[in-house]
Amino acid sequence: MTQLCLFLIKPNAVEDGNAGRIITMLEDDGFRVLNMKMFTFNPELSREFYAEHLGKEFYPRLESFMCSGPTIGMILEKDNAIHDIRELLGDVKPENRKPGTIRALYGKGITDNGGHASDSPEHAEREIKIIFG
Ligand code: CMP
């Protein structure tokens, strides 16, 4: 079943010049880029996008990181996009990242982890609306 998901190339990966390599990984894995834009999070947008994490111990670090530089947002399409993007992205925890995943290659710590991907069709719809309107 064809699905959509939102993907973000986070500020550390844009800053390090790895955006092109990440887009190539996505396309080589069969994802079609339907829309793409570069923008910078502000605190208000971060609080809306990461509403489920507001109040958690790590949230202030997450907001400060997401507002630290440009992000590239993409709407991706593929059969089973949600499952496949989570596999390609890799785990949030550095010690659990499989070799060859985007976060293993272009992530650093738990916060500056290179990328974000929607984890359900419902979240994909919500996140696409927030970033692309
Ligand atoms: P992301 O997939 O964008 O979703 C929430 C983000 O919070 C996560 O990637 C990380 O950048 C950040 N984060 C920082 N610490 C944690 C943590 N302990 N658990 C989950 N996410 C964290």
Side-chain angles (χ1 to χ4, degrees):
M1 185 191 37
T2 300
Q3 288 178 327
L4 300 181
C5 71
L6 181 86
F7 191 85
L8 300 179
I9 303 177
K10 290 191 181 181
N12 70 291
V14 175
E15 169 67 21
D16 292 346
N18 289 319
R21 276 176 274 277
I22 292 173
I23 294 167
T24 297
M25 285 178 75
L26 295 167
E27 291 186 327
D28 285 350
D29 205 59
F31 289 94
R32 273 184 5 103
V33 180
L34 299 188
N35 205 344
M36 174 157 65
K37 72 172 183 183
M38 182 180 268
F39 64 99
T40 302
F41 272 84
N42 58 39
E44 188 186 1
L45 181 61
S46 174
R47 286 195 295 272
E48 184 182 8
F49 188 81
Y50 283 119
E52 68 183 293
H53 298 302
L54 271 178
K56 292 186 183 169
E57 177 274 329
F58 64 79
Y59 181 78
R61 290 193 299 281
L62 174 61
E63 180 182 294
S64 157
F65 165 65
M66 292 306 289
C67 296
S68 70
T71 287
I72 294 173
M74 284 177 273
I75 302 174
L76 301 178
E77 179 187 61
K78 192 188 177 194
D79 280 352
N80 298 313
I82 302 290
H83 170 270
D84 289 4
I85 198 66
R86 304 296 307 174
E87 288 286 304
L88 188 63
L89 178 60
D91 202 273
V92 72
K93 292 191 178 149
E95 64 272 24
N96 295 341
R97 289 175 191 158
K98 289 189 192 148
T101 58
I102 290 170
R103 282 177 169 163
L105 290 166
Y106 305 121
K108 292 172 181 164
I110 195 163
T111 303
D112 48 352
N113 58 18
H116 165 91
S118 314
D119 61 7
S120 70
E122 296 72 29
H123 283 178
E125 195 183 335
R126 174 183 174 277
E127 293 174 355
I128 287 169
K129 228 174 253 167
I130 291 172
I131 301 301
F132 285 91

